[in-house]
Amino acid sequence: MSESPSPPLNQRRCQACEGGVPKLSIHQSEQLLAEVPNWRLSETGESIERKWVCKSFVNAIDIILRVAAIAEDEQHHPDLHLTGYRNLKIVLTTHAIGGLSDNDFIVAAKINDVVAP
């Protein structure tokens, strides 16, 4: 009996994580990274990030608000960095395990769905 394939990341839901589960290996993270264009793996393999140069401050805030809605819905919250009024960087990691989990890639995929490249 073969295992059925997982649904696409953007159709999955984050699972509660209070620790006690292993973080993804760099190899596992690299495989999932292929499913979230424009995101990059940190040197340590403990987080992924994406950067934008937004059209304006208001545009950057609009993106942050859309990301906040996703984060609240999934109960998985990224680190948001807005500098120079329009340079936005979003960093995802699962703080409870000190590295990456499927949740980070699920949220990244959902962010990609609502934020233009």
Side-chain angles (χ1 to χ4, degrees):
M1 183 183 271
S2 66
E3 200 174 297
S4 62
S6 294
L9 288 169
N10 63 352
Q11 293 178 13
R12 293 171 52 192
R13 297 284 303 175
C14 289
Q15 301 299 311
C17 179
E18 299 300 325
V21 297
K23 59 186 174 183
L24 296 174
S25 69
I26 289 181
H27 176 72
Q28 291 169 311
S29 296
E30 288 171 340
Q31 288 181 314
L32 288 169
L33 197 61
E35 298 183 48
V36 287
N38 302 311
W39 290 83
R40 134 183 132 68
L41 188 62
S42 70
E43 288 182 22
T44 63
E46 294 178 353
S47 65
I48 56 174
E49 69 178 43
R50 183 170 172 192
K51 297 178 181 180
W52 293 262
V53 176
C54 302
K55 295 174 189 169
S56 65
F57 177 77
V58 171
N59 176 242
I61 296 300
D62 177 58
I63 291 171
I64 289 171
L65 291 172
R66 287 187 268 156
V67 169
I70 292 166
E72 279 297 297
D73 186 51
E74 293 296 332
Q75 285 301 295
H76 192 72
H77 302 91
D79 295 334
L80 305 170
H81 307 267
L82 179 59
T83 58
Y85 83 88
R86 64 186 197 125
N87 298 300
L88 178 60
K89 177 172 79 169
I90 298 176
V91 179
L92 285 158
T93 190
T94 302
H95 299 283
I97 62 172
L100 289 165
S101 70
D102 287 347
N103 290 349
D104 300 300
F105 294 93
I106 291 167
V107 171
K110 291 181 179 201
I111 290 171
N112 278 358
D113 284 350
V114 300
V115 180

